[in-house]
């Protein structure tokens, strides 16, 4: 290994390692890591500023920003509380029905809106509902995070790894629906019943104050009905555009911003109020991770890995896919799934350069990364959000508690995915 | 005009090593909501509000949910036995507010009211230069005195009356 290959590997590994320890804010680490990678690369001759700029996938950034804006506008109307309460009342206090309802709401929303924000907004209302009913909120919080992680893997816009994969591999919104929705749906249902089994003791307890739940006024949670109506229409149009964006040759980020532009013009909101709520730290995190991975790629490290894996891909694609599912899941559970996905992209692209059809590998990566997020409390940002809310509520979730639920589910999810892959390969070949 | 003219000199207070139950006794017996906390040398080292106790009972979600208008009935949260039991284990020193806002008795009424608005407090503690308790004044005490003076100033058209 030359110094030009060792240094980028060292810098990138260090960046990821510090991010995992959570001792420093991840955006700060990403910016520092990216900048260090570029400056070192320029010094040692393995990375240029032009390459760094090229490595930033603005389609991903644009899509993230566009959807963030729409979600913030939606949140300011009280939409999430409104839907959660409206749907929760239909459970009539039955704890199992409540879980299915709240879990479904979170999942459907997180398939089209940002996973993390959806959980951030549904979790507090979940705590309120649980506490008023006199039942433990933890099973609901954990389930919401897990179900939204699992469900979010089904669509192009459902979770950031999919956005990255879609953008770099050139998959359309429909490609994701056709290839991933079926397997995710099956997995989701299995996960739901597994959760019913794991939390069976909690669900056996009857909630005491069903009357208090039924008295909740969903309409009172709705702060701005007029704006919400307009936003729902804009979102509906945007999602329709997503379904057909490949026919129009519109990149997903453009679709998102068409929605934003229409929403802005129609609603004429207070821009500063919206911009204040945007998570700029997350966007910085993405931009500078792209730069960091770019350094790894331009040093040739990832190309080498790709070439090495290509031999296995051509001899036994199914085996490599299974390895990808489980390997990605484990990595995604331990390491942040964004940099891992970003690093895998050039590797898979390089495998494709040898003429191999890499489609199955992309799907395996998407599923593995998506499902792996359930395994540990740090596996997905949605999990971290849930842990934080549980902590604030003085009913904390311990690492052990999470793993008891999340790890079996991660294994279950990967198992289902593997079986589906095996079935498809047997049928196709 | 200064605080000396409208403060209450007979102040209810509590010692730092007292228990919450003792504080509750004083609150309920005298219908007050603010207790300066004194150390062994009778110096003001903190302040204990009745709302500090209530914070233990109020549901935690109040801190992280914006709009609670939709909750018409607090259901199982209305009466939580565990929380009632919790208060016996806590010392006021643990949940009192340290470094309270204090002023001396020469403090102007305008300044007093401004400080109370900024710090969001309803009762202002008055101490001497050794930090010993001299009196207490509520927003109502100070505001009514100020309004009286302002009105008196307008009717008699006295100019240059300093407040």
């Amino acid at each position: 290994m030359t110094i030009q290959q060792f240094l980028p590997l060292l810098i990138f590994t260090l960046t990821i390692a510090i991010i995992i320890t959570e001792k420093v804010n991840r955006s700060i680490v990403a910016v520092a890591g990216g900048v260090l990678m570029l400056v070192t690369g320029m010094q040692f001759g393995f990375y240029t500023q032009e390459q760094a700029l090229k490595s930033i996938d603005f389609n991903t950034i644009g899509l993230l920003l566009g959807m963030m804006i729409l979600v913030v506008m939606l949140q300011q109307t009280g939409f999430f509380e409104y839907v959660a309460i409206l749907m929760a009342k239909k459970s009539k206090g039955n704890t199992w029905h409540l879980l299915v309802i709240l879990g479904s709401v979170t999942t459907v929303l997180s398939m089209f809106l940002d996973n993390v924000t959806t959980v951030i907004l549904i979790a507090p209302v979940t705590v309120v509902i649980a506490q008023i009913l006199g039942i433990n909120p933890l099973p609901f919080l954990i389930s919401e995070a897990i179900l939204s992680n699992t469900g979010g893997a089904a669509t192009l816009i459902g979770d950031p790894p999919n956005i990255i994969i879609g953008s770099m591999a050139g998959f359309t919104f429909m490609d994701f629906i056709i290839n991933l929705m079926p397997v995710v749906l099956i997995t989701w249902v299995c996960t739901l019943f597994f959760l019913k089994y794991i939390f069976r003791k909690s669900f056996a307890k009857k909630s005491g104050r069903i009357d208090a739940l039924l008295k909740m006024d969903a309409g009172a949670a709705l702060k701005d009905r007029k704006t919400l109506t307009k936003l729902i229409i804009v979102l509906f149009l945007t999602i329709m555009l997503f379904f057909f964006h490949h026919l129009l040759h519109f990149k997903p980020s453009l679709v998102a911003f068409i929605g934003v532009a229409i929403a802005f013009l129609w609603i004429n909101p207070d821009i500063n109020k919206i911009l204040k709520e945007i998570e700029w730290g997350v966007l910085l995190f993405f931009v500078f991770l792209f730069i960091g991975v770019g350094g790894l790629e331009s040093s040739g490290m990832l190309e080498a890995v790709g070439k090495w894996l290509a031999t296995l891909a051509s001899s036994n694609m199914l085996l490599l896919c299974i390895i990808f599912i489980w390997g990605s899941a484990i990595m995604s559970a331990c390491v942040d799934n964004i940099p891992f996905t970003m690093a895998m992209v050039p590797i898979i692209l390089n495998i494709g350069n040898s003429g191999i059809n890499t489609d199955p590998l992309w799907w395996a990566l998407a599923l593995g990364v998506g499902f792996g997020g359930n395994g540990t409390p740090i596996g997905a940002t949605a999990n971290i959000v849930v842990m934080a809310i549980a902590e604030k509520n003085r009913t904390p979730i311990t690492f052990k508690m999470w793993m008891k639920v999340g790890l079996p589910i991660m294994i279950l999810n990967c198992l289902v995915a593997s079986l589906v892959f095996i079935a498809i390969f047997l049928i196709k070949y | 005009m200064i605080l000396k003219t409208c403060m209450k000199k007979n102040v209810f207070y509590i010692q730092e090593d007292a228990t919450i139950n003792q504080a509750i006794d004083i609150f309920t017996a005298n219908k007050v909501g603010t207790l300066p906390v004194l150390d062994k040398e009778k110096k003001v080292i903190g302040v204990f509000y009745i709302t500090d106790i209530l914070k233990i009972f109020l549901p935690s979600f109040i801190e992280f949910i914006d709009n609670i208008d939709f909750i018409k009935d607090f259901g199982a949260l209305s009466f939580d036995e565990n929380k009632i039991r919790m208060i016996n284990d806590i010392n006021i020193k643990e949940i009192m507010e340290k470094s309270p806002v204090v002023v001396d008795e020469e403090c102007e009424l305008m300044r007093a009211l401004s400080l109370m608005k900024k710090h969001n407090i309803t009762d202002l503690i008055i101490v001497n230069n050794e930090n010993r308790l001299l009196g207490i004044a509520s927003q109502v005490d100070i505001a009514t005195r100020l309004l009286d003076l302002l009105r008196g100033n307008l009717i008699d058209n006295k100019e240059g009356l300093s407040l």
Side-chain angles (χ1 to χ4, degrees):
Chain A
M1 207 191 280
T2 62
I3 190 94
Q4 281 94 345
Q5 291 170 320
F6 175 69
L7 279 176
L9 187 62
L10 177 68
I11 295 173
F12 191 70
T13 311
L14 224 69
T15 309
I16 306 299
I18 300 176
I19 290 177
I20 296 176
T21 64
E22 307 225 328
K23 290 240 164 82
V24 186
N25 176 293
R26 53 170 51 179
S27 307
I28 293 178
V29 183
V31 171
V35 168
L36 183 64
M37 181 69 87
L38 178 53
V39 171
T40 311
M42 287 163 71
Q43 197 59 27
F44 284 85
F46 63 80
Y47 204 23
T48 68
Q49 289 167 108
E50 288 75 22
Q51 286 173 316
L53 200 58
K54 268 217 188 119
S55 71
I56 303 171
D57 182 33
F58 287 100
N59 179 42
T60 299
I61 306 295
L63 181 54
L64 281 170
L65 178 58
M67 295 310 286
M68 271 187 200
I69 294 175
L70 289 173
V71 170
V72 165
M73 292 177 79
L74 204 55
Q75 182 236 329
Q76 289 176 341
T77 62
F79 167 74
F80 291 89
E81 288 86 351
Y82 175 68
V83 171
I85 297 161
L86 201 65
M87 300 305 291
K89 283 170 77 168
K90 293 195 196 280
S91 71
K92 302 237 166 46
N94 178 317
T95 38
W96 165 236
H97 290 178
L98 187 62
L99 179 75
V100 177
I101 288 171
L102 286 176
S104 305
V105 168
T106 321
T107 305
V108 171
L109 287 175
S110 68
M111 280 185 180
F112 298 101
L113 308 170
D114 171 29
N115 226 16
V116 180
T117 316
T118 309
V119 172
I120 288 179
L121 297 170
I122 300 280
V125 191
T126 307
V127 171
V128 173
I129 293 171
Q131 292 195 316
I132 287 180
L133 285 173
I135 56 180
N136 185 6
L138 293 186
F140 295 90
L141 290 177
I142 298 175
S143 302
E144 278 167 5
I146 289 180
L147 290 170
S148 86
N149 285 336
T150 308
T155 61
L156 170 71
I157 49 180
D159 66 19
N162 285 10
I163 298 177
I164 297 171
I165 293 171
S167 196
M168 310 294 241
F171 288 130
T172 68
F173 188 82
M174 278 310 275
D175 285 331
F176 274 84
I177 301 275
I178 294 171
N179 286 284
L180 292 187
M181 185 66 91
V183 58
V184 165
L185 234 59
I186 299 170
T187 315
W188 191 87
V189 174
C190 295
T191 307
L192 191 63
F193 282 94
F194 194 82
L195 285 165
K196 182 180 191 185
Y197 169 72
I198 283 200
F199 289 126
R200 60 195 181 282
K201 284 194 216 129
S202 306
F203 293 137
K205 291 200 192 109
K206 285 220 162 133
S207 64
R209 296 301 309 270
I210 302 171
D211 58 317
L213 172 63
L214 295 174
K215 274 194 216 155
M216 278 196 194
D217 183 2
L222 204 51
K223 289 180 260 181
D224 192 344
R225 196 175 277 264
K226 255 174 84 182
T227 306
L228 177 62
T229 316
K230 293 180 184 174
L231 271 173
I232 299 269
I233 295 174
V234 171
L235 272 163
F236 182 73
L237 281 167
T238 311
I239 292 176
M240 283 297 109
L241 266 177
F242 272 123
F243 272 94
F244 300 113
H245 77 98
H246 53 289
L247 295 171
L248 295 160
H249 298 288
F250 281 179
K251 284 197 194 276
S253 50
L254 176 57
V255 172
F257 269 97
I258 290 174
V260 170
I262 298 175
F264 276 174
L265 282 173
W266 198 8
I267 295 166
N268 195 20
D270 181 349
I271 282 282
N272 287 315
K273 245 184 150 188
I274 294 172
L275 292 178
K276 257 204 195 149
E277 300 297 317
I278 300 291
E279 302 208 42
W280 302 104
V282 171
L283 295 173
L284 272 179
F285 177 72
F286 271 78
V287 168
F288 282 88
L289 267 182
F290 275 127
I291 294 178
V293 173
L296 206 54
E297 196 192 344
S298 72
S299 72
M301 284 293 305
L302 301 175
E303 191 181 337
V305 177
K307 282 216 178 91
W308 176 66
L309 287 172
T311 45
L312 180 56
S314 51
S315 56
N316 194 342
M317 178 58 95
L318 176 60
L319 179 61
L320 189 59
C321 283
I322 306 282
I323 294 175
F324 264 47
I325 291 176
W326 291 87
S328 307
I330 294 170
M331 289 301 281
S332 155
C334 311
V335 174
D336 196 297
N337 54 9
I338 309 295
F340 175 71
T341 308
M342 285 185 186
M344 289 304 289
V345 163
I347 294 177
I348 299 181
L349 285 173
N350 273 301
I351 296 176
N353 282 341
S354 332
I356 301 169
N357 173 25
T358 46
D359 282 5
L361 287 173
W362 291 115
W363 304 128
L365 174 67
L367 289 171
V369 171
F371 294 162
N374 289 330
T376 64
I378 54 162
T381 318
N383 307 0
I384 299 177
V385 166
V386 158
M387 301 280 283
I389 293 185
E391 178 94 42
K392 254 197 199 169
N393 194 45
R394 295 173 234 152
T395 51
I397 302 170
T398 62
F399 233 80
K400 249 184 158 179
M401 247 190 255
W402 186 284
M403 309 267 292
K404 265 172 86 177
V405 182
L407 206 55
I409 286 180
M410 176 183 111
I411 295 172
L412 170 73
N413 288 1
C414 292
L415 217 60
V416 172
S418 305
L419 289 172
V420 170
F421 263 74
I422 293 174
I424 293 180
F425 266 78
L426 285 175
I427 295 171
K428 257 194 164 176
Y429 305 116
Chain B
M1 273 300 147
I2 55 175
L3 274 180
K4 198 172 178 177
T5 60
C6 59
M7 71 182 186
K8 297 189 272 268
K9 302 215 180 101
N10 182 19
V11 191
F12 294 105
Y13 62 86
I14 196 159
Q15 296 289 129
E16 63 175 334
D17 51 4
T19 64
I20 293 196
N21 278 312
Q22 288 171 304
I24 294 178
D25 289 337
I26 305 177
F27 284 137
T28 50
N30 303 290
K31 283 217 160 60
V32 290
T34 303
L35 288 181
V37 182
L38 308 184
D39 63 10
K40 296 190 191 68
E41 296 163 37
K42 294 249 171 172
K43 293 194 178 165
V44 176
I45 53 160
V47 62
F48 190 60
Y49 299 107
I50 197 169
T51 44
D52 290 335
I53 304 181
L54 293 177
K55 267 189 221 152
I56 304 176
F57 296 106
L58 287 178
S60 49
F61 61 69
I62 292 202
E63 288 153 47
F64 55 73
I65 202 164
D66 276 337
N67 175 16
I68 59 165
D69 296 350
F70 64 89
I71 310 173
K72 302 296 179 188
D73 183 341
F74 271 58
L77 288 165
S78 303
F79 191 76
D80 189 343
E81 283 182 2
N82 294 324
K83 294 199 171 153
I84 312 270
R85 267 183 242 125
M86 260 172 79
I87 46 174
N88 289 323
D89 303 326
I90 309 175
N91 271 330
I92 56 167
K93 217 173 170 185
E94 294 164 41
I95 58 175
M96 74 177 183
E97 273 142 64
K98 307 190 171 97
S99 321
V101 178
V102 297
V103 293
D104 63 46
E105 53 181 4
E106 310 285 313
C107 176
E108 291 174 67
L109 299 185
M110 281 285 199
R111 178 170 179 259
L113 284 175
S114 305
L115 280 171
M116 293 173 90
K117 183 115 207 296
K118 268 294 179 175
H119 291 274
N120 208 17
I121 52 179
T122 52
D123 298 296
L124 194 56
I125 299 171
I126 300 119
V127 295
N128 66 9
N129 52 12
E130 283 176 348
N131 213 25
R132 292 218 164 82
L133 194 57
L134 284 180
I136 199 163
S138 70
Q139 250 181 4
V140 177
D141 291 336
I142 306 174
T144 47
R145 183 100 183 95
L146 183 62
L147 289 171
D148 232 6
L149 287 164
L150 285 173
R151 203 166 50 155
N153 192 24
L154 280 168
I155 291 173
D156 298 344
N157 208 16
K158 283 190 193 119
E159 282 179 38
L161 181 75
S162 76
L163 294 162

